[in-house]
Amino acid sequence: MDQFIRGKIYTFDGDNRTMFSLMVLLLTLVLQNSRLLISAETAVTCYGPFVHHLRCDTGVISVQSATFGRTSSQICSIGRPPSETSNTHCSMDVPVIYKRCNGLRECGINTLELFTTDPCFGTYKYYTTNYICIPAETSVTCHGGYGYLKCENGKIQINTANYGRTNKITCSEGRPSEQVQNTNCYSPNALAFVSNRCNGLQSCEVFATETLFTDPCFGTYKYLAISYFCIPHRIRSSLVCEHETSTLTCEFGTVIHIHSANYGRTDRSTCSTGQPTSLLAKTDCYASNSKKVVANRCEGKNSCSILASNSVFSDPCFGIFKYLHISYSCVSK
């Protein structure tokens, strides 16, 4: 087989501002029975006025893990006293990196804008993001335009969708600066709306407008950014409310392949019966380990079961009644 995962570590040290890369991983795999080049990357950025940069030369970003802290005494240590680098058991998840970067070909975040809490006072910390570059189609439509998604072979499966703004460049021509400054702008219903409209179709048209998507940032000029797959297999889905068990099954001779999963809440209607409004209020709730947990339990098996609970996924939004949504297909062994 000639398909490889390429791994690079990018380290940006705040003291000497040098960048180096290291090949860390070579292995082969087949993704969905096709010959595809998948790139596995690790970005490391010291804390300070520096940009945490993720990039895919081919495909789009899919963040696997994102942490802030210190797990090595060597990384980001130049010019630092031992007291600031000796604690190597300091780490916390940074879910906003998933939200900001998933589905993009390139993503740059000023670390000072992440507003993370301090997991270990007195220790000099850094951001570490592990991500893969997955083959996906992309569509970017400025406000007022129509986005067209199309699969020549197979059917659409939405990977990410956002109506808002995450950078100052896209759809900025002719716009006053005050309309492109807010780069932390996300519509809470974009993913659910686009998925419901387009999943399973060969082509789909979506209007980029506030009449369809909740306006996440009044006064900012927005755009609709979508990444999606063309899936040759019939997509199946499983949705269970919190505390219930999701069971995935495939026919004899086929096994489960997980496309996406989320334990959390992305709308106010799903699993809402009998629940007070306060438990449904947050609709941008994503457990960052959802796909990893489900894939570890189910990928490559003929059937599997997984409980939708905080004990399995951890709690991505305390005080909210959650649900587990999984999309998968059955592929030949």
Side-chain angles (χ1 to χ4, degrees), residues 157-159 195 199 229 235-238 248 257-262 290-291 294 324-329:
Q157 174 68 22
I158 300 299
N159 178 40
S195 296
N199 279 352
F229 306 108
I235 298 297
R236 307 181 183 193
S237 65
S238 169
L248 314 184
H257 173 65
I258 302 298
H259 295 293
S260 63
N262 184 53
S290 299
K291 185 177 179 181
V294 174
L324 173 63
H325 180 263
I326 303 170
S327 66
Y328 70 103
S329 59

Side-chain angles (χ1 to χ4, degrees), residues 163-164 178-182 184-186 210 214-222:
Y163 176 71
E178 62 270 18
Q179 291 186 3
V180 298
Q181 293 303 306
N182 185 354
N184 189 31
C185 174
Y186 302 89
E210 289 141 357
T214 302
D215 189 345
C217 45
F218 182 76
T220 293
Y221 187 70
K222 293 165 280 287

Side-chain angles (χ1 to χ4, degrees), residues 13 70-78 85 88 126:
D13 192 288
R70 177 171 289 277
T71 57
S72 166
S73 60
Q74 302 301 313
I75 296 173
C76 294
S77 62
I78 295 176
T85 60
T88 58
Y126 51 86

Side-chain angles (χ1 to χ4, degrees), residues 286-304:
Y286 304 87
S288 60
N289 64 342
S290 299
K291 185 177 179 181
K292 181 179 180 181
V293 170
V294 174
N296 287 343
R297 186 76 60 89
C298 300
E299 188 77 23
K301 296 181 180 180
N302 179 254
S303 65
C304 71

